[in-house]
Amino acid sequence: MPRYPALLYAAIEVTTLLLLSVPTTAQFGPSPCGDKPCLPKWEPTYNMSKSTIFMPCNVSGQYNAEVAAKFGIVDFDWSNEKDLWVNDSPMTCMERLLAQAKVIKDINPETKVWVYRESVAAQPWYSDVREKLLDPKTQSWFLHFDPSKNGTYRVPQCDTNFKPPRCSNLYHDQVQTPNYPTGDGACEHPCDCGVPCGRYLWDTRNPDLVDWLVNVHLTGNTSVRNPLIDGVFLDDEWSVTGGAAENCNLGDCEHDMGLTTKDVADIVETWGTMMQRTQQRVLDLGGFDWRMFSPGAGTCAGAPFKKEQCASYIREQCQPNATLQHSAMMYGLGVGCRLNLTADGEVRDFDQHLASFLTIRGPFAWLGWAWVGCGVVPPRPVGMDTDYGVPLSHCTETAPNSGVFTREWSKATATIDCNQWKGTVIMKP
């Protein structure tokens, strides 16, 4: 799916983002880890092959499991196999994510497989969500169209591909939604979401809904409670100035649903509390959430520093008790939701990034790619599968303000020269 960039989450201080990642002053609820970064409960590793990460996606069928199984972590988007599940009746996005996880685990049980979950929108192509959308007893779990605005809604209430039209009083829009004959997923016949296809919105003011989200949809038997699933990508957010990210801007939300300023503030607050509970539940079940990476929580996260910041950033991380020794880092090789390759198809500046990664990383760190779209097979440089042993010390600067940093590993020496933007990893005999 065309995710939007930089949906950031930091464990200590979080800035909520709205539609196209414009920062607002709204805050998430308290981190489940207090004033410290969250860490997985997995055994830490310095094994380089296991310290790789990627967000794979293929719309025409399952992603190549042999490629995915080489990574330490793979995080699958809801768009995976979309050309197939949009034409299932009913749709089977959730079931296909589990099937994809199984074929990868069958090849490499140590690859950690993560799956996508929406924290704001109710996607009816997930079976358990569809059941609640159709259940008369759970209609209060969703935000409704304001009946006094009937005829002036800014999004369609009905799917007119059906005769008679299939309609719902529950608010839904067409953002990132399968449709017939074209949409974000093209159905070969009118799309069978059970309800009009669209992104519905959870009403987190309802405590029964929150309990269900925390314990079932976001973390349950098709998520981190399942032995096939090791983590989640909890997407999107509410903000008091932006409304529901990726769905409607605040003005459209207020109009179509008749939301007051207090309504939005209450939803933002209860959504934040729900997220804190959910993330704690994910951790309790031995999983991890992409938003907990620090740095690297962005959907399209790249390297944790720009080239011109190389010396100052690494110098700080070479200090005793440096942050990265106590946080989970996702070091991205991509730029702006793309792989960032050379004309020859090689990873741009890989030597520099690998040397930097080995110089600053802690026991929980991954090198690779966040979201780069569907149908992408990234190159895999030899350096991603080389055995560097374990670090013998923290990194050091070769001389005061030299801008050259080195770190000894049991089987290699990593050096990054920030002045020349040159990285080397020399294997020991």
Side-chain angles (χ1 to χ4, degrees), residues 90-160:
M91 293 185 181
T92 56
C93 172
M94 186 170 71
E95 292 80 5
R96 288 181 179 272
L97 285 173
L98 285 177
Q100 175 76 79
K102 185 176 187 307
V103 297
I104 294 169
K105 291 284 192 178
D106 285 346
I107 296 170
N108 184 1
E110 295 187 342
T111 293
K112 298 189 182 301
V113 183
W114 298 16
V115 291
Y116 180 95
R117 286 294 187 272
E118 253 288 352
S119 70
V120 170
Q123 297 173 304
W125 36 94
Y126 282 74
S127 301
D128 56 353
V129 174
R130 182 170 57 247
E131 291 174 1
K132 299 304 180 184
L133 285 165
L134 290 168
D135 188 345
K137 297 189 294 295
T138 51
Q139 299 299 285
S140 62
W141 289 14
F142 307 93
L143 294 174
H144 289 237
F145 283 110
D146 180 353
S148 71
K149 308 288 178 57
N150 193 15
T152 65
Y153 298 136
R154 295 171 184 172
V155 294
Q157 185 181 10
C158 301
D159 184 348
T160 57

Side-chain angles (χ1 to χ4, degrees), residues 86-339:
V86 297
N87 289 300
D88 290 338
S89 183
M91 293 185 181
T92 56
C93 172
M94 186 170 71
E95 292 80 5
R96 288 181 179 272
L97 285 173
L98 285 177
Q100 175 76 79
K102 185 176 187 307
V103 297
I104 294 169
K105 291 284 192 178
D106 285 346
I107 296 170
N108 184 1
E110 295 187 342
T111 293
K112 298 189 182 301
V113 183
W114 298 16
V115 291
Y116 180 95
R117 286 294 187 272
E118 253 288 352
S119 70
V120 170
Q123 297 173 304
W125 36 94
Y126 282 74
S127 301
D128 56 353
V129 174
R130 182 170 57 247
E131 291 174 1
K132 299 304 180 184
L133 285 165
L134 290 168
D135 188 345
K137 297 189 294 295
T138 51
Q139 299 299 285
S140 62
W141 289 14
F142 307 93
L143 294 174
H144 289 237
F145 283 110
D146 180 353
S148 71
K149 308 288 178 57
N150 193 15
T152 65
Y153 298 136
R154 295 171 184 172
V155 294
Q157 185 181 10
C158 301
D159 184 348
T160 57
N161 291 308
F162 290 90
K163 304 299 180 187
R166 181 178 283 182
C167 303
S168 176
N169 292 325
L170 304 178
Y171 176 86
H172 56 281
D173 58 42
Q174 303 303 304
V175 174
Q176 297 181 16
T177 293
N179 211 333
Y180 169 79
T182 60
D184 193 349
C187 300
E188 297 171 355
H189 43 73
C191 299
D192 185 12
C193 289
V195 292
C197 281
R199 282 164 54 100
Y200 294 73
L201 291 175
W202 304 115
D203 188 347
T204 50
R205 295 171 296 183
N206 187 305
D208 292 334
L209 164 65
V210 170
D211 287 343
W212 182 80
L213 287 174
V214 170
N215 296 301
V216 181
H217 179 57
L218 300 179
T219 71
N221 292 333
T222 60
S223 181
V224 289
R225 194 180 294 142
N226 191 302
L228 296 172
I229 306 302
D230 305 284
V232 290
F233 187 106
L234 298 175
D235 202 6
D236 287 345
E237 63 282 309
W238 269 94
S239 84
V240 293
T241 57
E246 298 190 8
N247 276 69
C248 56
N249 63 44
L250 188 57
D252 290 341
C253 286
E254 290 175 331
H255 177 273
D256 285 2
M257 292 176 274
L259 297 178
T260 65
T261 300
K262 184 179 187 305
D263 288 333
V264 174
D266 288 346
I267 293 169
V268 170
E269 180 180 0
T270 54
W271 172 83
T273 301
M274 180 275 293
M275 283 293 289
Q276 188 271 339
R277 286 183 56 192
T278 299
Q279 290 179 318
Q280 183 62 63
R281 183 67 174 153
V282 169
L283 290 171
D284 290 345
L285 291 168
F288 208 62
D289 170 23
W290 191 280
R291 291 183 189 242
M292 294 177 182
F293 283 130
S294 179
T299 304
C300 302
F305 59 88
K306 296 180 180 179
K307 186 161 56 175
E308 56 270 22
Q309 300 168 328
C310 173
S312 61
Y313 186 88
I314 295 181
R315 183 176 295 121
E316 181 179 348
Q317 294 306 321
C318 289
Q319 301 302 311
N321 252 353
T323 304
L324 294 183
Q325 302 306 309
H326 308 283
S327 64
M329 175 176 69
M330 202 298 288
Y331 189 123
L333 295 171
V335 173
C337 294
R338 56 187 176 85
L339 288 176

